[in-house]
Amino acid sequence: MSQAVPPLLSVRPSRALVDEKFSVLVENLPPGCPVTIRSLYQSEDKDFWEAYGHYVSNHKGTVSVSEDISLGGTYTGKEAMGLLWSMRPIPGSRKGLRLRKKDTCAPMLVTISVYSGHGDVRDQAPLASALVERWHVAPGVQRIEITEKGVRGTLFLPPGPGPFPAMLDLWGGGGGLQEYRAALLACRGFASLALEYLKSNDTKPKGLDMKYFETAFEIIRSHPQVIPDRVGIIGLCFGTLMTLSLAAECPTIKPRCIVCISNIHSKSNENTIQEFPQEIPEKYNKIHMMEDVVVWRDMGLAVLEVGHPKVKVGNIDCPMLLINGTDDQNWPTVEVASDIIKTMREAGKESLVTRLDYPDAGHLIEPPFSPHFRAANFMLHGTKKKVMMLWGGKTKPHADAQEDSWKKILSFLQLHLYGAPSLKANL
Amino acid sequence: AALYSRTVSKPNNKNPILMMLSVHPSRALMDEAFVILVQNVPPGFQVTLHALHRCEDGHRWEACAHYVADSSGNINAADDCSVGGSYFGVEPMGLLWSLKPVPGSKPGLRWVRCACDPTHSNIHVNGPQKLHCCFGPPKGPGPFPGLLDLWGGGGQLMEYRSALLASHGIASLALDYLTRTDQSLTVPVSVQTAYRVLQQHPQVLGSRIAMLGLSLGTVFTLKMAASLSPQLRCAVCISGSHIQPVSGEGGVMCLCYRNFEKISFSEQDEVIWRGLLLPIPSDPSLKVDVGRLQCPLLLVVGEDDQNWCSHESATDMKQMMERAGNDQLLTLLSYPGTGHLIEPPYTPHTPSMMVLWGGKTPEHSAAQEDSWRKIVTFLRRNLYGGSDPHAVNLSHL
């Protein structure tokens, strides 16, 4: 009795950093054979995420995800990394999930499998499988928990003796401590401190104290493996409000450069977004619900319209990179970026600004190949209320924005934090 | 890897030179290549790349190479020339294969690696017999083609080649056949047992099993290949020979003992064994009849092999197969300047270890890289390919 020879599935590299690409190749299929290639990942919260593409083998019996076109599935077209960025929770999952890695020192384990045909493959046995590791840390990267002088965060150091340029990494209004971007920056040569400045389980929001950030910045700057005059700041969403505030209004913090993703620059008395509804006159209060999701974008526009106090960005003296998505439904970040540039122009400093507006990308522009979700659960800070927040974006353009912006962030940081000062004089 | 720079002028503390060293990918399989990049280097600057590795046995190995940055301030070890150090020229993986024990190390060290995958283990067969081996099928539902991997007479089970083959989709069993070898038999019982174990394993395709032998392992590989039962799918023989008594008393080791006076010594008192089986006998009872082979055979030999007369044996085997009319099954890869221990690529070259293996480092390393790629292609084509292995055209190899 002869057994059938299975197709040969290989993913190279099988272990990589999360911002690196892989090639998925299936060989030894019959020619012209329809197959489905599927990825499956079980998150730390035990939810299952999947993506899949429909392919037809060529006359040599080969399917190459990097070279061939997916004819259907969670992504279409020639998409080498579609099996990752188009992942979504499997049918029957809880609603409003968001995929974020908590344990940065362990890899994501993704199973890539090939199945016969283009139908529903979930109950079929695969023809072949491969296990792929996606890491946030490279060999030699050190993770150090910081709890000194009241500052809470995690510092990641690149491998090697150093000293290194460094980054302060500020996430958004969801609070808590998200380490994964700082870990990746350390893989790329930047000592990075992910700072916890909004505890997610605080029931009463405290006013944000500039002193806390100054202390954090000083901890980085004075670290023996950090070059003190080459420290930058990267922020997303509420983190950009803090980044711009620190760069503009804090005399002791002089970042070498700043990166602002999904820009917010309107201040409130308590320095939290949640305070805005109380401060905006009733007729401008434009938070609305759209099919059970909360949309804040129009409130943000109202805040801009009424001339709410803003960060004095005209005081910023360092290069800044502004990254936004035009389909951001959480905040009018593109309009904010225009306002920032207008202010910088009036101050004669427009040459410091680089602007990237990504068409049809949403609010949560994360490191590349991570899945996109148009709406997700969000715990309103300072309350225990969980809402479904609309972040916006269409999956494919959002994935493209994540991939492109990450490359541009790294080259921006390399230029300003690694480059020689004489290089800037020649620009 | 680490980066050291020799400064041309005193560094200015206000404008420190900050180079970025990166290796892509940072994690890879042993037979995968990487690219070493240095960026942000002043144009024309001289740098040294240094690699340091501590083996599981505690010994340290190192290599270094000298580079000069181009006008855009970059060095790419895959594209640029090393102008000195452990290797010269464009060698993307030079920092690995040119590794040598650090000065002051014990003489005669050999690069050692242990298993890559903790799933490998000994297999118990029926009754008191236990196979000392290492077996780990590839991940996935299978079933997979199988391979019996026989190392050489150096003792010690080496598992990493099997692990690498598993990453290429082949369920490979590395057998320690020397521990309980009955040297009076032509093929040790353990080799036959291991073949049966593979054939009957639920995750192995019993009709698609190959054998791969290195050095002494080729003796039993050729014997199994020439006997038509069981029918191997294909065979690979690295640095070996077909010279051995075909039947009756005594294995190849007995032949060697009879020719003891043919051992010679190098200037450094290293033992040269290659003369033991020379000249190639014309008596057919002293050679495996490769004219009877019905499966494809890949022979890999180094022309500077000082341990076995593998080059001469390969030439004789080719002639035997031409006379028998089955030479279309033979692919012969013969590498100049290459020694006996042709291992998976990028491992450091050991020219001698009290015993002279032969070969010069750059040629030997190139042969390891080239032959491994061809071995994997040969195995995949024959083990995964269409139903008639004889129809596979391997002339492109």
Side-chain angles (χ1 to χ4, degrees):
Chain A
M1 185 182 77
S2 67
Q3 296 155 288
V5 185
L8 191 57
L9 169 67
S10 56
V11 183
R12 303 227 182 264
S14 57
R15 291 187 176 100
L17 294 174
V18 294
D19 62 354
E20 287 171 339
K21 291 190 167 181
F22 56 33
S23 303
V24 177
L25 188 65
V26 189
E27 295 169 286
N28 218 54
L29 290 165
C33 179
V35 293
T36 299
I37 302 183
R38 178 175 180 244
S39 60
L40 187 66
Y41 170 64
Q42 186 174 32
S43 68
E44 288 156 318
D45 297 325
K46 304 290 178 228
D47 302 295
F48 282 98
W49 293 67
E50 66 168 6
Y52 52 92
H54 294 154
Y55 293 90
V56 176
S57 63
N58 65 10
H59 70 283
K60 290 192 220 161
T62 300
V63 170
S64 161
V65 173
S66 322
E67 303 296 321
D68 299 348
I69 287 185
S70 162
L71 306 165
T74 57
Y75 66 97
T76 52
K78 187 157 115 170
E79 297 291 346
M81 303 302 288
L83 287 166
L84 288 184
W85 58 251
S86 73
M87 272 186 163
R88 56 215 192 171
I90 60 173
S93 297
R94 306 179 288 160
K95 295 268 169 269
L97 293 176
R98 185 171 168 185
L99 194 60
R100 305 178 94 179
K101 194 84 169 49
K102 297 193 193 69
D103 180 4
T104 44
C105 294
M108 290 173 63
L109 295 174
V110 181
T111 302
I112 310 267
S113 306
V114 58
Y115 301 81
S116 186
H118 290 170
D120 183 0
V121 300
R122 288 187 194 102
D123 291 326
Q124 265 186 53
L127 301 173
S129 281
L131 189 64
V132 176
E133 292 178 6
R134 307 287 296 169
W135 290 82
H136 285 89
V137 291
V141 167
Q142 289 180 68
R143 177 183 176 273
I144 302 161
E145 288 177 20
I146 302 286
T147 47
E148 59 186 270
K149 301 176 187 156
V151 168
R152 294 173 317 272
T154 310
L155 176 66
F156 290 90
L157 292 174
F164 308 100
M167 291 295 289
L168 176 62
D169 185 320
L170 304 176
W171 277 96
L177 180 54
Q178 306 295 338
E179 296 180 1
Y180 52 93
R181 189 173 57 199
L184 276 179
L185 287 170
C187 297
R188 300 297 170 201
F190 304 95
S192 299
L193 175 66
L195 185 66
E196 182 179 11
Y197 61 96
L198 284 174
K199 248 182 148 44
S200 39
N201 54 9
D202 266 350
T203 44
K204 266 194 342 182
K206 303 191 267 282
L208 285 168
D209 187 0
M210 280 318 207
K211 192 115 185 48
Y212 182 80
F213 293 89
E214 285 177 4
T215 313
F217 202 82
E218 193 49 42
I219 288 175
I220 304 175
R221 202 162 39 192
S222 57
H223 193 283
Q225 276 171 286
V226 167
I227 304 168
D229 63 344
R230 292 186 183 227
V231 183
I233 310 177
I234 181 167
L236 179 136
C237 179
F238 196 72
T240 70
L241 175 60
M242 301 317 305
T243 303
L244 293 167
S245 305
L246 294 173
E249 294 165 8
C250 201
T252 58
I253 293 183
K254 286 261 163 272
R256 185 95 168 187
C257 62
I258 59 176
V259 178
C260 298
I261 306 170
S262 302
N263 308 159
I264 300 179
H265 68 338
S266 299
K267 295 159 73 163
S268 68
N269 294 333
E270 291 279 341
N271 267 337
T272 59
I273 294 182
Q274 282 72 13
E275 301 304 315
F276 285 134
Q278 283 88 43
E279 295 171 3
I280 302 172
E282 186 61 38
K283 60 174 176 165
Y284 286 110
N285 192 337
K286 296 257 182 76
I287 298 180
H288 65 272
M289 303 293 287
M290 201 172 81
E291 299 159 9
D292 291 339
V293 286
V294 175
V295 185
W296 273 358
R297 179 187 157 73
D298 294 325
M299 171 180 75
L301 277 173
V303 166
L304 280 180
E305 260 174 60
V306 301
H308 211 85
K310 302 181 286 198
V311 177
K312 296 185 176 53
V313 297
N315 292 338
I316 296 179
D317 280 326
C318 66
M320 66 168 91
L321 178 60
L322 304 180
I323 294 173
N324 299 292
T326 66
D327 192 40
D328 192 329
Q329 294 298 320
N330 186 252
W331 204 256
T333 48
V334 169
E335 288 83 348
V336 169
S338 299
D339 193 63
I340 291 175
I341 289 176
K342 175 160 163 280
T343 312
M344 294 296 276
R345 188 181 307 130
E346 284 158 6
K349 295 181 186 174
E350 196 180 356
S351 62
L352 287 176
V353 185
T354 308
R355 172 182 194 165
L356 293 169
D357 293 336
Y358 288 100
D360 287 335
H363 185 77
L364 297 172
I365 300 179
E366 303 234 20
F369 317 131
S370 41
H372 165 251
F373 16 80
R374 193 163 166 78
N377 292 328
F378 186 74
M379 180 85 77
L380 285 180
H381 177 68
T383 73
K384 286 212 181 253
K385 198 160 154 230
K386 201 160 74 161
V387 298
M388 183 78 81
M389 187 71 80
L390 187 67
W391 303 111
K394 301 184 181 69
T395 298
K396 163 79 174 134
H398 192 91
D400 287 345
Q402 291 189 154
E403 193 182 339
D404 188 74
S405 62
W406 184 247
K407 284 199 286 247
K408 299 228 162 62
I409 289 170
L410 290 177
S411 63
F412 174 83
L413 294 178
Q414 196 177 332
L415 173 66
H416 292 296
L417 295 181
Y418 270 92
S422 58
L423 194 64
K424 280 195 281 192
N426 289 336
L427 286 172
Chain B
L3 177 66
Y4 297 91
S5 65
R6 185 172 87 81
T7 52
V8 176
S9 56
K10 209 165 168 211
N12 183 341
N13 284 339
K14 289 213 173 78
N15 291 324
I17 296 166
L18 269 186
M19 298 182 215
M20 291 181 80
L21 171 66
S22 53
V23 182
H24 306 268
S26 56
R27 291 186 176 86
L29 293 174
M30 291 296 307
D31 61 351
E32 287 172 341
F34 53 50
V35 174
I36 302 177
L37 274 181
V38 191
Q39 296 165 288
N40 231 49
V41 190
F45 215 61
Q46 295 174 336
V47 302
T48 298
L49 286 180
H50 179 258
L52 181 66
H53 176 76
R54 184 183 288 274
C55 261
E56 283 102 8
D57 57 8
H59 290 109
R60 290 181 304 144
W61 295 60
E62 65 174 1
C64 71
H66 303 312
Y67 290 91
V68 180
D70 64 15
S71 56
S72 61
N74 293 319
I75 291 168
N76 182 334
D79 287 337
D80 297 344
C81 267
S82 161
V83 296
S86 309
Y87 60 90
F88 288 85
V90 181
E91 295 290 352
M93 302 300 287
L95 277 179
L96 281 191
W97 58 249
S98 70
L99 283 168
K100 296 264 182 275
V102 299
S105 297
K106 213 170 72 162
L109 286 177
R110 183 172 167 188
W111 181 267
V112 162
R113 262 180 321 219
C114 72
C116 322
D117 191 327
T119 62
H120 289 182
S121 59
N122 287 329
I123 292 181
H124 291 261
V125 296
N126 289 338
Q129 204 175 8
K130 184 168 78 165
L131 275 186
H132 292 265
C133 66
C134 167
F135 176 62
K139 293 204 163 62
F144 305 98
L147 182 140
L148 189 54
D149 185 347
L150 302 183
W151 278 88
Q156 217 180 348
L157 183 60
M158 306 280 194
E159 302 152 354
Y160 56 91
R161 193 166 60 191
S162 298
L164 277 180
L165 288 172
S167 78
H168 290 284
I170 298 170
S172 180
L173 189 155
L175 178 67
D176 178 7
Y177 59 94
L178 285 177
T179 326
R180 276 134 58 95
T181 292
D182 186 342
Q183 291 188 0
S184 65
L185 292 179
T186 52
V187 176
V189 168
S190 57
V191 175
Q192 291 164 334
T193 309
Y195 186 92
R196 266 200 323 275
V197 164
L198 262 185
Q199 202 174 26
Q200 289 159 11
H201 196 281
Q203 271 179 292
V204 175
L205 287 162
S207 59
R208 290 178 182 239
I209 298 182
M211 271 180 80
L212 187 156
L214 170 80
S215 188
L216 183 61
T218 64
V219 167
F220 306 113
T221 302
L222 286 168
K223 271 253 164 50
M224 292 271 282
S227 81
L228 298 178
S229 166
Q231 172 75 302
L232 289 183
R233 189 83 178 180
C234 65
V236 179
C237 290
I238 306 173
S239 302
S241 174
H242 60 321
I243 300 170
Q244 53 189 279
V246 174
S247 59
E249 288 290 305
V252 65
M253 301 310 286
C254 289
L255 254 190
C256 292
Y257 295 148
R258 272 188 247 152
N259 293 337
F260 205 67
E261 75 281 0
K262 297 215 186 129
I263 291 180
S264 58
F265 289 85
S266 71
E267 281 165 8
Q268 283 80 31
D269 283 340
E270 296 140 336
V271 185
I272 300 175
W273 280 357
R274 66 178 260 101
L276 277 176
L277 294 174
L278 288 174
I280 305 281
S282 44
D283 177 358
S285 73
L286 291 176
K287 302 190 284 196
V288 174
D289 185 3
V290 289
R292 290 179 41 162
L293 276 182
Q294 287 181 14
C295 70
L297 173 66
L298 176 66
L299 292 180
V300 181
V301 298
E303 288 166 18
D304 192 41
D305 188 338
Q306 297 298 321
N307 190 250
W308 278 56
C309 52
S310 49
H311 182 48
E312 292 87 339
S313 299
T315 308
D316 190 62
M317 280 193 262
K318 183 158 184 255
Q319 285 163 0
M320 286 172 77
M321 290 176 79
E322 276 162 358
R323 282 196 295 273
N326 65 345
D327 56 303
Q328 82 281 6
L329 293 173
L330 175 66
T331 309
L332 172 56
L333 301 174
S334 179
Y335 293 99
T338 298
H340 183 72
L341 294 174
I342 303 178
E343 304 209 4
Y346 315 134
T347 48
H349 169 236
T350 316
S352 74
M353 210 171 98
M354 309 314 178
V355 168
L356 188 65
W357 304 115
K360 302 181 200 60
T361 297
E363 288 89 334
H364 190 96
S365 304
Q368 290 190 157
E369 189 178 346
D370 189 69
S371 64
W372 180 250
R373 200 174 52 243
K374 292 183 168 138
I375 288 168
V376 171
T377 304
F378 174 83
L379 287 172
R380 282 173 49 161
R381 289 281 165 88
N382 283 292
L383 290 174
Y384 273 91
S387 53
D388 181 4
H390 301 178
V392 175
N393 183 353
L394 294 164
S395 59
H396 64 282
L397 275 182

